[in-house]
Amino acid sequence: MTYILKPQLHHPKLPTNSLGYTRRDYEGSVSTLCAGCGHDSISAAIIQACFELELPPHRVAKLSGIGCSSKTPDYFLGNSHGFNTVHGRMPSVLTGANLANRDLIYLGVSGDGDSASIGLGQFAHAIRRSVNMLYIVENNGVYGLTKGQFSATSDKGSKSKRGVVNTDAGIDMVSLALQMGATFVGRSFSGDKDQLVPLIKAGLSHKGAAFIDCISPCVQFNNHNGSTKSFDYVREHNEAVNRLDVITPRDEIKVDYKPGETVRVQQHDGSVLSLHKLNELYNPNSRAQALGYLQARQARGQIVTGLLFVDPKAGDLHDAVDTVETPLNQLNEPELVPGQGALEKINAALR
């Protein structure tokens, strides 16, 4: 029922933050994603994080590419700046916006197809340049908009809903972000709000390139071969007067487990994720330890979640190129055209 608008009236007793905003003020349009989609849980976590951080919505710039995940910025922070780019090109647009106006808080939302396939180079260069942003990948391992083909993050040996086995090695976005020089790296699960909200708050507060890989189940893959409730089976045994494609609602997947514990989470298609939450003794200040820990746990078939690495003294792209404190889009002609004397001084220094 996406044509039904959200009510504009708020209950007078809704809790507010110090800015006077309620949680509803950080919401957006009604979601058009499948009921039970993990991406909606991530949107809810972003809403909660921004509410708790007491961010003025107009100071946030949210950018995305193409895909189910890249639709989600329409579902949160309805009063913030927004830009939906072409497939895989969000990082370069975000970089340009960040250079033009350093005063905004930049939130990039992408998917595993948008960032690990066509946008892989864009993602890598934005990370290595330490653009001041929080970059969230809503990772479901499939191309959900085009019937569920494997994405670049699909694990080798995993099966599609049609029973096809993936023969390609999967790209680990967390390891790639670490190798590219991200100064804040985390991973979470869309159903673990207690872990995800603090991670998002920390990423939004971090100076430099912050990256969160969020595992997000795709509910479409309950429609697998062999099921008598699958759409293909019904079509083959039904005399239909037209052809409709519907995805049935599923319950949201939630988990609750303590630091240091490993939990197995069954997905809608019957597959199982093995999640391992970092314990308090883990040192997130060592990039080398983070990479080694990831590989060791990956060999056991586990997906490590939590804050994997952070550099508390990190700088950003503006530090590297030594831009002025005033946002570039606010500079006037006297600052941009300093005169002939300044030009002659620059030329003399280059001789």
Side-chain angles (χ1 to χ4, degrees):
M1 303 283 239
T2 56
Y3 56 86
I4 298 178
L5 298 177
K6 287 187 176 180
Q8 298 298 314
L9 297 176
H10 294 178
H11 193 281
K13 292 186 178 181
L14 285 177
T16 61
N17 57 24
S18 65
L19 299 177
Y21 290 120
T22 69
R23 188 183 181 281
R24 290 288 310 277
D25 293 317
Y26 292 89
E27 295 179 357
S29 303
V30 175
S31 173
T32 62
L33 298 176
C34 311
C37 178
H39 293 359
D40 284 333
S41 299
I42 299 174
S43 294
I46 293 173
I47 291 168
Q48 187 65 31
C50 292
F51 171 74
E52 293 180 4
L53 282 176
E54 302 181 331
L55 298 180
H58 66 276
R59 288 201 57 236
V60 179
K62 52 185 183 178
L63 295 93
S64 63
I66 297 294
C68 291
S69 56
S70 293
K71 294 171 62 179
T72 61
D74 192 37
Y75 312 143
F76 58 81
L77 296 176
N79 293 320
S80 68
H81 304 279
F83 196 95
N84 186 230
T85 73
V86 295
H87 206 187
R89 301 303 185 262
M90 178 268 287
S92 58
V93 177
L94 189 153
T95 300
N98 182 277
L99 282 171
N101 189 355
R102 64 189 300 171
D103 278 354
L104 296 179
I105 299 166
Y106 288 90
L107 173 60
V109 179
S110 185
D112 42 299
D114 194 57
S115 287
S117 290
I118 190 171
L120 183 61
Q122 297 255 330
F123 167 78
H125 289 296
I127 293 294
R128 78 181 185 89
R129 288 174 179 140
S130 199
V131 179
N132 192 14
M133 63 180 176
L134 172 58
Y135 196 117
I136 298 177
V137 167
E138 300 180 349
N139 190 349
N140 58 18
V142 297
Y143 286 97
L145 287 180
T146 54
K147 306 302 181 185
Q149 300 93 332
F150 293 121
S151 82
T153 63
S154 299
D155 293 324
K156 186 174 183 178
S158 60
K159 291 183 179 181
S160 71
K161 66 176 183 179
R162 303 184 189 279
V164 179
V165 177
N166 181 30
T167 58
D168 298 329
I171 294 175
D172 181 10
M173 298 296 289
V174 166
S175 296
L176 184 61
L178 284 167
Q179 291 169 346
M180 288 295 102
T183 51
F184 178 103
V185 180
R187 177 188 276 141
S188 191
F189 180 66
S190 62
D192 189 357
K193 188 177 181 180
D194 290 340
Q195 182 190 59
L196 182 55
V197 171
L199 268 180
I200 293 174
K201 290 170 64 177
L204 287 170
S205 304
H206 179 76
K207 181 180 181 180
F211 173 73
I212 297 176
D213 178 39
C214 194
I215 308 300
S216 178
C218 178
V219 297
Q220 170 150 0
F221 292 91
N222 254 359
N223 184 31
H224 57 276
N225 283 348
S227 171
T228 58
K229 303 296 183 182
S230 71
F231 293 111
D232 287 340
Y233 183 92
V234 173
R235 288 181 185 128
E236 292 170 3
H237 296 81
N238 181 39
E239 190 68 29
V241 295
N242 55 25
R243 185 179 178 91
L244 302 177
D245 207 349
V246 181
I247 299 174
T248 54
R250 304 296 176 195
D251 293 333
E252 178 185 355
I253 300 175
K254 296 182 179 180
V255 294
D256 183 15
Y257 61 120
K258 298 178 181 179
E261 292 183 351
T262 301
V263 63
R264 293 169 61 84
V265 185
Q266 184 167 341
Q267 306 302 290
H268 294 291
D269 62 353
S271 62
V272 176
L273 283 177
S274 179
L275 301 176
H276 177 78
K277 187 175 292 188
L278 295 171
N279 59 42
E280 291 86 348
L281 299 178
Y282 177 85
N283 176 20
N285 299 127
S286 170
R287 193 182 299 272
Q289 179 183 340
L291 281 167
Y293 194 88
L294 281 170
Q295 293 174 355
R297 290 290 176 172
Q298 189 175 25
R300 303 182 192 179
Q302 297 175 349
I303 301 172
V304 181
T305 66
L307 177 58
L308 302 169
F309 174 77
V310 62
D311 180 357
K313 299 180 180 179
D316 69 348
L317 181 59
H318 287 278
D319 295 329
V321 299
D322 196 24
T323 58
V324 295
E325 291 296 326
T326 304
L328 301 185
N329 67 342
Q330 297 179 20
L331 296 178
N332 298 314
E333 187 172 349
E335 293 87 7
L336 295 174
V337 186
Q340 185 66 28
L343 178 60
E344 292 175 353
K345 185 177 180 180
I346 293 173
N347 288 336
L350 297 175
R351 291 191 177 96

